Amino acid sequence: MLNDDEKAVLKQSWADARPASAAVADLFFERLLALRPTYAALFLSANLQARKIQLLHAVDFVVRSLDWPEPQWMDAVSTNDDAVFAAFSVAEDGYGLSGISPESFPLLGEALVWALETVLGPRFDSASRAVWTRVAGALVTALRLGAARAEAFAPPTRRQLDMHGEDPADTERFPGSYFDGVAPFSLGPSRRIVSS
Amino acid sequence: MAGIPVMEGNLAEFALADVLGVLGLSRQYTRLELFFRDHEPAGSIFLKSGKVVQAVTGTTMGREAFMELIQAPVASFRVMRVEMPALIPEPIDTVTSLLMEAAEREDDGPQTTRMDSHEEAAFELRVHPVFRALTEDAHDRATPVAPFPAVTNPQSPGTVKSGMRPIAPSSACVLAIASPKGGAGKTTVALNLALGLTRRGLDVILVDGDINGDVMSAVDARAVADVGVFDVLLGKGRIEDALRGTAVPNLRIIPSLGAVFPSAAVTVDDHTEAWRELLGNLGRRAQVVVVDTPAGMFGTTHQILGASTHVIGVLQAEVIAQRSFTMFSRGLEAVDQSARPVVLGIALNMLQPGSAESVDVLARACADLPERILFDTAIPRSSAFLHAAAEGVPVMLDGAEPAAVSFLFDTLAAEVLDRLRSTATDIGVAREAVLGS
């Protein structure tokens, strides 16, 4: 999908950015939270530093996996070294993506391109932007494919079971029928903000 | 040739070109199997390292088979990782080149696509005498704004259309924007969500149901309105005179107030039937009617809710708003069950990621609200809204490069549309029960 020139651009821009990789990771999460502030809750208590390192490893892996000379196109390659298959697995397992909805996966690509552009400045030229955008877009689609497959094969959640009337307590708690199984934003006794 | 199933999916959810783009990045030898809606196989495409090695249908092979499959009305796919043959044939071409060729062929061929059909339908609406007059009126008074960016239709690479891919709900709906608490940002959400829906190709009418008239304040156009929605409710004005065109072709607005302030009794008397008649009428003129309601769940809001097919709750990300949000459900319960709108979702607004208290409201909403009722999109508190208000434009139209926060209304509109489509049956039922059409 990428020609040799595009692979070279990808490899060089990542090589340029890698010394400032901490800044790339910081900016990635800053941008992600600007685009989707709800994820602030995900990263407040989670080990953000570990996520940053995970991100940098992932980018490094993608660049390496896409860096192969054209004459070797027929070579057999392990799925463990294949960025697309890795993305499938990550999304299916939910590893590192817990709490991020598939609808928001495009923001990951957007945040990464923005972070690289911010760090590299003029060195991140139109060719760099084009190739990173293309790669990020394809991998985001791979993540969405993996997530869709995981969802299709997931066992029913407790909520889905509740909606079929298997939990009488919930049925009592959700009077009315203006939506199936959807409760008012009522404050129960176990919650902190309670008007007694 | 056997293989290991890797992935499968629905092509209504994933564009075939995108699936090919993904597999084109892989170095595995894969077979993309394509199926028609009735699950009958359409053919297969073999890929390796960005190249299409082979394509087969029931009748053709090679390049023509690839082109045939790209054009075919395929509905689903399955990706198999297959064993590489000892001798790989000369590839047909790269995935990129073949997709470009397919796009060029489509450009040369008949241009009737789903999007064209939609635009034809929209055009028919616009040439209706009533709409034509409004549109012309809108053009006469339009404030120049940056045009919506053209985007590539993901279903047809290379086919550039204005706006986003229209995905309409199955029938018109009346969507109330409500909140128990004032100052939660209902007007901002209503206005920008209406714009977001138009950006996805829908015809939208935004009704200001709040006698304060904040929609027109937001766009700094209070003086423009001669006839308001309350005049229509009281039988003192016609819908046609109240409907205002805007600089956005698919968006019309009915302001709250006209030139004359209505009797204060209008907010006290029960106009539920008049609201039903009015919103029912508007529901036949647009695909989505968005109604900005006054603060609180009773009074005028109660009447509007009884005339709406759907409601979106706006939850301000601060503690007082959270405490009072129980009134959202109580207000809905007070609406007669036969006329009660479907709760499409709850949008968190004015989130301050730097404030633990504000984020705590989000965390509690995630924990306490039923699964999936909270929209993924939360709107942050941002000075961009202040700037847009000062400019008298919605934040989505503030300058050639609107603030990043405006992007969120596109994602909110996408979520709203997805939910509308998934509750399409409910819409029909609700319309029949509530609007009598």
Side-chain angles (χ1 to χ4, degrees), chain A residues 61-186:
Chain A
F61 167 75
V62 167
V63 173
R64 278 188 289 108
S65 76
L66 297 178
D67 181 31
W68 47 271
E70 187 64 22
Q72 293 177 12
W73 76 271
M74 280 190 291
D75 287 2
V77 176
S78 163
T79 53
N80 292 333
D81 297 327
D82 189 308
V84 170
F85 276 65
F88 286 160
S89 304
V90 163
E92 277 192 75
D93 297 341
Y95 176 71
L97 293 168
S98 56
I100 297 179
S101 65
E103 291 80 4
S104 299
F105 288 167
L107 303 184
L108 302 175
E110 149 88 23
L112 177 62
V113 172
W114 185 82
L116 288 168
E117 190 166 25
T118 306
V119 165
L120 292 175
R123 284 180 294 167
F124 197 78
D125 57 14
S126 58
S128 307
R129 165 171 271 282
V131 71
W132 276 101
T133 301
R134 183 132 65 96
V135 168
L139 292 177
V140 160
T141 304
L143 289 172
R144 287 179 55 224
L145 283 164
R149 180 179 163 88
E151 187 176 347
F153 289 95
T157 63
R158 183 173 178 278
R159 172 77 51 196
Q160 287 165 328
L161 293 173
D162 291 350
M163 287 170 65
H164 290 289
E166 295 186 22
D167 187 335
D170 271 5
T171 309
E172 286 168 16
R173 197 150 51 84
F174 304 159
S177 61
Y178 50 86
F179 45 79
D180 289 340
V182 175
F185 189 24
S186 57

Side-chain angles (χ1 to χ4, degrees), chain A residues 1 35-36 38 68 70 72-75 77 82 84 101 138 145 159 177-179 183-184 191-193, chain B residues 22 24 26-28 48-51 84 322-323 329 337 340 343 360 362 364 368 370-371 376 378 408:
Chain A
M1 196 70 175
L35 292 171
R36 188 53 53 93
T38 46
W68 47 271
E70 187 64 22
Q72 293 177 12
W73 76 271
M74 280 190 291
D75 287 2
V77 176
D82 189 308
V84 170
S101 65
L145 283 164
R159 172 77 51 196
S177 61
Y178 50 86
F179 45 79
R191 295 156 190 162
R192 189 169 64 86
I193 302 170
Chain B
V22 169
S26 170
R27 297 192 71 190
Q28 306 303 307
K48 170 89 171 91
S49 302
K51 300 178 194 307
M84 204 156 54
Q322 181 186 8
R323 287 175 183 158
S329 52
Q337 189 166 341
R340 201 176 285 157
V343 177
D360 190 49
L362 165 65
R364 290 186 174 278
D368 296 346
E371 193 176 14
D376 273 349
L408 296 171

